[in-house]
């Protein structure tokens, strides 16, 4: 099968770069204190200093989305030294075209006024640009097309103007309003490298949707709180004006769901390592699309915790200066690297695009090849074939990726637990919160006990693990007092919480943990700690914040959850060190993964019993 090479790349950003004051002037801003506070919060989160809009100073649109895409395509083809008539496939990706019908690729093709060609319109959100690229790469590899162009573009600014945002501001809409911007990018894809300058060989691509496991996160076409069911979409309204009045045309993102996105992406990343497609140590440049600088640290933290982090110095992002251009973002970043000579022959480049629409993830690995040596190099293995880089053999990636898979399953189960669903959707009551604390208490009381039992079961051969368990038990054994104070401060009584029996899930979880802790050298309990500490570090603080916001609770009423959101970060770091001590032993890895899976199921059962 032929290879595929990116032989040219270009970007088009309309108008001059606008700072945050200028975007407020062009888009307009609500006159309420709530609007200003949300805007300030979003701008602080996203870290964008300048961006571009196809709007004049009065806020009037100056270009269509198809025009932005056509400009990028024309520049890329020109850079390659080809004519538009040489292109035989045009693949486009965008969130929203200018028209409802026909397809966006046909509109861009018509704008180019080139000869006949195949067109492909990839729909979606941010990953649609990568979907277009992957479609072009596959057509070239199959030998069906000789010159393909893939493009990603967005022209969202016109939909972000203040006249579309009347009424009470909502953060799910304001977050995107002050984050997104306009732009386009394009690449030329051919079966051979260009003869005059370096090209980027496409080693492999990976695109996957997790929509079967997650609700809609980023959407337009339904009401603020509506669901995508018959009778509840914009097409079901008697008139388009009714849909507009209901805010259905505003692009929204349920930021409460975003914490689910990154662990799911980590599991995909780890899976690529497991399959031998990706070797993090071999990557020279990472271009990762994320909507806000705020999320960069979360991504780094997850990768570091999984032992898969690529040196931060190798990461490139022009989000602060080019803005978040959605489907175009990965092209705009790639074009800047291309233009500034960042890549050198032999360099490996990893492209990553997570999409929150309904949780899709796109990856591609590229290798920079010299014009005089590229044709002679052996072809890189495509997905699923032998010859791709292999993962490290110390067992750590295999163990951590296995645990990431268990966590993904656990998190999926958690979202179906009624008490968790109510907390995360903002519908929990104060009675729900008290009931949650009451049911957690017995498990928390016994946490320090089974960890102490485990410490006493380690032999001298595992002195480091015994010492870590002793320190951890000392940290945990008073936590139930903090939980009891929260319960009383939230309106419960000490007698009620201290006299409550264990629920069925707590009984099963406690019995299992004590059984495992009593076995000689209970290494497998590292899997139990991965689940329990992970719940604290990844979920507890978010739940505390949601409960404070939705129920008006204070820090004195949510101290237990907040504390574990902070303290468990340190515990997770200690756990990572412990996991590396045992990862090289395949039998130990298997025991840890099994215990992690069992504890995840039993913990979910414990939470399900809150509503029994």
């Amino acid at each position: 099968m032929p290879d595929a090479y990116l032989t040219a790349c270009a970007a088009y950003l309309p108008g001059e770069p606008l700072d945050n004051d200028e975007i407020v002037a062009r888009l307009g801003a609500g006159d309420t204190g709530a609007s200003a506070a949300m805007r300030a919060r979003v701008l602080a989160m996203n870290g964008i200093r300048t961006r571009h809009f196809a709007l004049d100073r009065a806020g009037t649109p100056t270009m269509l989305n198809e025009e932005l895409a056509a400009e990028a395509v024309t520049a890329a083809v020109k850079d390659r030294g080809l004519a538009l008539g040489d292109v035989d496939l045009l693949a486009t990706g965008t969130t929203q075209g200018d028209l409802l019908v026909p397809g966006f690729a046909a509109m861009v093709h018509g704008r180019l006024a080139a000869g006949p060609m195949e067109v492909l319109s990839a729909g979606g959100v941010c990953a649609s640009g990568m979907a277009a690229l992957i479609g072009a790469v596959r057509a070239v590899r199959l030998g069906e097309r000789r010159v393909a162009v893939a493009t990603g573009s967005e022209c969202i600014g016109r939909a972000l103007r203040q006249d579309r945002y009347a009424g009470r501001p909502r953060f799910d809409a304001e977050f995107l309003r002050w984050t997104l911007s306009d732009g386009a990018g394009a690449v030329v894809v051919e079966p051979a490298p260009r003869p005059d300058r370096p090209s980027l060989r496409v080693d492999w691509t990976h695109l996957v949707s997790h929509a079967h496991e997650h609700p809609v996160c980023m959407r337009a076409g339904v009401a603020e709180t509506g669901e995508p069911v018959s009778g509840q979409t914009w097409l079901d309204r008697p008139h388009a004006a009714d849909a507009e009045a209901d805010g259905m045309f505003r692009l929204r993102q349920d930021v409460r769901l975003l914490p689910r996105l990154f662990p799911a992406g980590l599991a995909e990343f780890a899976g690529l390592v497991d399959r031998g497609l990706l070797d993090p140590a071999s990557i020279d440049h990472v271009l990762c699309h994320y909507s806000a600088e705020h999320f960069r640290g979360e991504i780094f933290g997850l990768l570091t915790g999984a032992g898969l982090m690529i040196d931060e110095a190798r990461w490139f992002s022009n989000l602060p200066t080019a803005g978040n251009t959605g489907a175009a973002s990965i092209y705009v970043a790639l074009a800047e690297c291309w233009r500034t000579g960042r890549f050198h022959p032999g360099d490996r480049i990893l492209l990553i695009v997570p999409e929150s629409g309904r949780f899709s993830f796109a990856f591609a690995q590229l290798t920079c090849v010299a014009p005089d040596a590229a044709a002679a190099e052996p072809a890189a293995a495509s997905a699923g074939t032998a010859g791709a880089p292999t993962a490290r053999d110390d067992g750590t990636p295999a163990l951590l990726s296995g645990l990431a898979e268990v966590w993904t399953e656990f998190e999926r189960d958690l979202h179906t637990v009624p008490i968790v669903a109510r907390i995360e959707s903002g519908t929990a009551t104060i009675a729900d919160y008290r009931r949650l604390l009451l049911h957690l208490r017995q498990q928390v009381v016994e946490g320090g006990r089974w960890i102490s039992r485990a410490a006493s079961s380690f032999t001298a051969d595992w002195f480091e693990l015994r010492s870590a368990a002793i320190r951890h038990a000392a940290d945990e054994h008073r936590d139930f007092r903090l939980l009891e104070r929260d319960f009383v401060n939230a309106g419960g009584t000490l007698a009620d919480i201290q006299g409550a029996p264990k629920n069925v899930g707590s009984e099963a979880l406690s019995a299992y943990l004590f059984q495992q802790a009593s076995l000689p050298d209970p290494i497998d309990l590292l899997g139990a700690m991965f689940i329990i500490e992970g719940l604290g570090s990844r979920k507890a603080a978010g739940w505390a914040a949601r409960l404070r916001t939705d129920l008006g609770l204070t820090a004195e009423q949510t101290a237990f959850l907040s504390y574990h959101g902070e303290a468990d970060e340190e515990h997770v770091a200690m756990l990572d060190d412990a996991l590396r001590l045992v990862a090289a032993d395949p039998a130990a890895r298997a025991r840890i993964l099994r215990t992690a899976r069992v504890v995840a199921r039993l913990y979910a059962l414990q939470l399900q019993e809150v509503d029994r």
Side-chain angles (χ1 to χ4, degrees):
M1 183 178 291
D3 281 328
Y5 296 83
L6 309 188
T7 57
C9 185
Y12 181 80
L13 299 174
E16 71 274 19
L18 308 175
D19 63 22
N20 289 333
D21 290 336
E22 186 60 31
I23 66 166
V24 173
R26 297 207 181 190
L27 296 181
D31 56 6
T32 67
S35 296
M38 286 186 190
R39 180 172 69 251
R41 179 182 171 191
V42 173
L43 293 176
M45 286 177 63
N46 65 39
I48 299 172
R49 299 192 300 271
T50 60
R51 70 192 82 189
H52 296 253
F53 285 118
L55 303 170
D56 63 18
R57 293 184 181 277
T60 304
T62 59
M63 297 181 74
L64 295 172
N65 193 358
E66 68 182 61
E67 292 178 291
L68 298 179
E71 289 284 352
V73 169
T74 301
V77 172
K78 180 179 180 181
D79 177 75
R80 176 61 183 92
L82 300 174
L84 288 172
D86 296 323
V87 178
D88 51 12
L89 167 64
L90 171 66
T92 66
T94 190
T95 302
Q96 296 176 329
D98 304 293
L99 306 180
L100 296 176
V101 176
F104 185 65
M107 297 305 298
V108 177
H109 179 206
R111 178 69 56 175
L112 293 170
M117 64 179 68
E118 179 184 352
V119 295
L120 168 65
S121 300
V125 195
C126 304
S128 64
M130 284 287 283
L133 173 61
I134 291 171
V137 166
R138 289 174 179 170
V140 169
R141 277 185 169 159
L142 284 171
E144 296 183 352
R145 296 290 177 257
R146 293 287 303 174
V147 179
V149 174
T151 177
S153 65
E154 302 287 6
C155 191
I156 189 65
R158 55 197 169 178
L160 304 179
R161 292 171 294 174
Q162 181 59 34
D163 55 7
R164 305 289 292 275
Y165 284 78
R168 179 174 61 88
R170 286 177 56 94
F171 191 75
D172 62 352
E174 295 291 315
F175 177 75
L176 293 177
R177 187 182 182 210
W178 301 109
T179 295
L180 300 176
S181 54
D182 299 341
V187 295
V188 177
V189 186
E190 297 181 85
R194 63 187 295 167
D196 54 337
R197 287 187 301 193
S199 301
L200 300 178
R201 186 185 63 220
V202 182
D203 298 334
W204 52 261
T205 62
H206 179 70
L207 175 62
V208 63
S209 165
H210 285 254
H212 64 299
E213 296 178 340
H214 300 279
V216 177
C217 177
M218 187 173 177
R219 75 270 186 210
V222 294
E224 288 181 355
T225 58
E227 294 295 328
V229 296
S230 178
Q232 296 298 321
T233 74
W234 72 276
L235 281 170
D236 297 314
R237 292 292 189 266
H239 305 286
D242 298 329
E244 173 73 17
D246 287 342
M248 287 187 169
F249 295 138
R250 297 176 194 166
L251 196 60
R252 301 178 183 280
Q253 187 170 51
D254 190 341
V255 295
R256 295 171 300 183
L257 297 177
L258 287 180
R260 304 186 191 181
L261 182 67
F262 304 117
L266 173 65
E268 285 298 327
F269 188 101
L272 293 171
V273 174
D274 270 357
R275 291 165 56 194
L277 288 175
L278 173 60
D279 176 11
S282 74
I283 299 299
D284 300 288
H285 309 276
V286 182
L287 278 62
C288 179
H289 165 68
Y290 40 81
S291 60
E293 283 288 324
H294 172 77
F295 299 128
R296 180 182 175 102
E298 187 163 353
I299 294 169
F300 285 3
L302 287 171
L303 287 172
T304 300
L308 299 173
M309 181 59 185
I310 300 168
D311 183 3
E312 186 173 350
R314 300 181 185 183
W315 292 63
F316 173 83
S317 172
N318 56 6
L319 174 70
T321 55
N324 177 0
T325 52
S329 291
I330 201 68
Y331 291 87
V332 173
L334 190 63
E336 182 169 334
C337 292
W338 192 292
R339 176 174 50 82
T340 58
R342 186 179 179 90
F343 306 142
H344 301 93
D347 285 359
R348 279 202 177 110
I349 303 102
L350 180 64
L351 309 182
I352 308 175
V353 179
E355 174 184 299
S356 66
R358 197 156 181 175
F359 287 22
S360 295
F361 304 93
F363 299 82
Q365 180 179 288
L366 316 173
T367 296
C368 185
V369 295
D372 58 344
E377 287 189 0
S382 58
T385 63
T390 57
R392 297 188 300 274
D393 60 2
D394 64 357
T396 301
L399 176 56
L400 294 176
S401 63
L403 287 171
E405 181 180 344
V406 173
W407 177 265
T408 300
E409 295 172 359
F410 176 48
E411 192 171 38
R412 182 185 60 218
D413 291 342
L414 278 181
H415 298 322
T416 67
V417 174
I419 185 65
V420 174
R422 292 197 296 274
I423 292 173
E424 295 186 340
S425 67
T427 60
T429 65
I430 189 68
D432 285 331
Y433 178 53
R434 286 196 299 265
R435 201 157 51 245
L436 174 66
L437 294 178
L438 184 145
H439 282 259
L440 285 178
R441 179 187 179 274
Q442 288 299 335
Q443 177 248 315
V444 173
V445 167
E446 296 189 346
R449 295 176 183 171
W450 67 259
I451 296 173
S452 297
R453 175 77 62 84
S456 67
S457 297
F458 280 112
T459 63
D461 292 338
W462 294 103
F463 179 81
E464 294 90 345
L465 292 184
R466 182 171 65 184
S467 298
I470 291 171
R471 291 195 302 271
H472 195 177
D475 289 341
E476 296 282 337
H477 83 286
R478 293 190 184 91
D479 284 0
F480 73 94
R481 298 294 189 196
L482 190 60
L483 186 152
E484 290 176 348
R485 283 198 296 271
D486 285 350
F487 182 81
V488 173
N489 290 340
T493 68
L494 198 57
D496 284 343
I497 194 169
Q498 290 181 345
K502 296 178 188 174
N503 70 37
V504 171
S506 298
E507 287 277 13
L509 179 60
S510 178
Y512 180 74
L513 290 172
F514 274 103
Q515 169 190 289
Q516 299 305 107
S518 301
L519 298 175
D521 292 328
I523 295 169
D524 62 302
L525 285 176
L526 293 175
M529 294 171 68
F530 173 83
I531 295 298
I532 296 171
E533 300 298 337
L535 192 62
S537 65
R538 299 179 183 181
K539 293 293 186 181
W543 290 350
R546 288 286 327 163
L547 291 164
R548 285 195 296 270
T549 299
D550 298 331
L551 301 178
L553 298 177
T554 65
E556 289 72 26
Q557 295 169 307
T558 57
F560 172 78
L561 291 176
S562 296
Y563 166 75
H564 276 274
E566 299 167 1
D568 285 353
E569 291 288 348
E570 181 181 351
H571 294 163
V572 168
M574 293 170 57
L575 176 61
D576 287 343
D577 292 338
L579 289 170
R580 284 173 171 79
L581 290 174
V582 302
D585 182 354
R589 294 200 301 269
R591 290 173 57 193
I592 291 168
L593 291 174
R594 174 165 176 75
T595 295
R597 185 165 279 108
V598 171
V599 169
R601 295 282 181 87
L602 295 178
Y603 207 110
L605 176 61
Q606 175 182 239
L607 293 175
Q608 288 170 349
E609 289 293 311
V610 171
D611 283 282
R612 294 291 176 88

